[in-house]
Amino acid sequence: MALEPIGAVNALYPSLTVIVGARVRGKANWMTVAHLGVMNHAMGNIPQYLGISAHPSHYTNIGIREHGEFSINIPSRAMLEVTDYVGIVSGKTTNKSDVFPILEGELPNAPMIATCPVAMQCRVAQKVIVGEHELFIGELVATYAQPEVLVDGKIDLVRVDPILFDFRQMAYHALGERIGKPWNAGKALKEQRKNPQSAA
Ligand SMILES: Cc1cc2nc3c(=O)[nH]c(=O)nc-3n(C[C@H](O)[C@H](O)[C@H](O)COP(=O)(O)O)c2cc1C
């Protein structure tokens, strides 16, 4: 087996499929987003930032630009059909405000989906134009979770049962099995390489 060049193909999939919420012209609007990420991770009291890449032609962007707020809702596999729906129909032509029951939180213009297992509210801290897209970097303000997805107070991915997105094969996937513990799976190798004699 050997690696062969296949062109500059973005192979950073799967990504998480989420539904971004915003208030546009007084009404909640929802759009599917799979190009998003963690901009930094929690360290003490430093704010946490999440980025979503949204094409400026989308109706949702109007609300995010106007109010500087958005929500990120994580649907479960059971919500696959409606998750895809809000990603193929635009608020420009169809009212999507009644598609989900709404949960209002700390930020009045970042409506959340009450039936998602997890939802977060973000306040826009920066907007960066990347290629043709608007990258909204939001400071995480609040997180909500259904009690059923928490184990010892922590979000359990297996219980969330998120939808993973693959742009290359145009496919949705479910989560695979748990295969190890981060910052731990490499420990034995670290010791072995520090002291190769001890492994013999
Ligand atoms: C699986 C999936 C993932 C998507 N990911 C993104 C994305 O990351 N960024 C984006 O701008 N649009 C993305 N879209 C497209 C928008 O969700 C879609 O154009 C939507 O209709 C926009 O709605 P709006 O005009 O009401 O805001 C995605 C669509 C699907 C189905």
Side-chain angles (χ1 to χ4, degrees), residues 29 32-35 53-55 58-60 87 89-91 96 165 172:
N29 194 67
T32 315
V33 166
H35 297 111
S53 170
H55 196 272
H58 296 329
Y59 192 66
T60 310
V89 168
S90 174
K96 292 188 271 183
F165 172 77
Y172 292 119

Side-chain angles (χ1 to χ4, degrees), residues 175-197:
L175 199 67
E177 60 198 292
R178 187 174 175 148
I179 59 163
K181 201 170 163 59
W183 277 277
N184 188 282
K187 270 188 176 171
L189 181 60
K190 180 182 171 188
E191 289 312 310
Q192 189 189 319
R193 287 179 59 89
K194 252 200 254 170
N195 188 3
Q197 270 75 17

Side-chain angles (χ1 to χ4, degrees), residues 4 7 10 12-13 17 31 33 36 42-43 45 52-53 67-68 75 90 114 119 140 143 145 160 168 174 185:
E4 290 183 4
N10 173 9
L12 275 188
Y13 297 97
T17 313
M31 80 164 166
V33 166
L36 77 163
M43 282 187 151
N45 291 327
I52 56 162
S53 170
H67 302 293
S90 174
L140 178 62
T143 304
V160 173
R168 301 283 68 95

Side-chain angles (χ1 to χ4, degrees), residues 80-98:
L80 181 72
E81 184 182 27
V82 72
T83 300
D84 197 68
Y85 169 78
V86 295
I88 53 181
V89 168
S90 174
K92 281 181 272 187
T93 51
T94 306
N95 173 20
K96 292 188 271 183
S97 67
D98 60 351

Side-chain angles (χ1 to χ4, degrees), residues 19-63:
I19 302 170
V20 167
R23 194 163 318 275
V24 190
R25 299 184 177 138
K27 282 188 177 152
N29 194 67
W30 315 105
M31 80 164 166
T32 315
V33 166
H35 297 111
L36 77 163
V38 179
M39 302 287 106
N40 68 335
H41 69 83
M43 282 187 151
N45 291 327
I46 294 171
Q48 300 170 74
Y49 297 97
L50 307 175
I52 56 162
S53 170
H55 196 272
S57 63
H58 296 329
Y59 192 66
T60 310
N61 294 43
I62 298 171

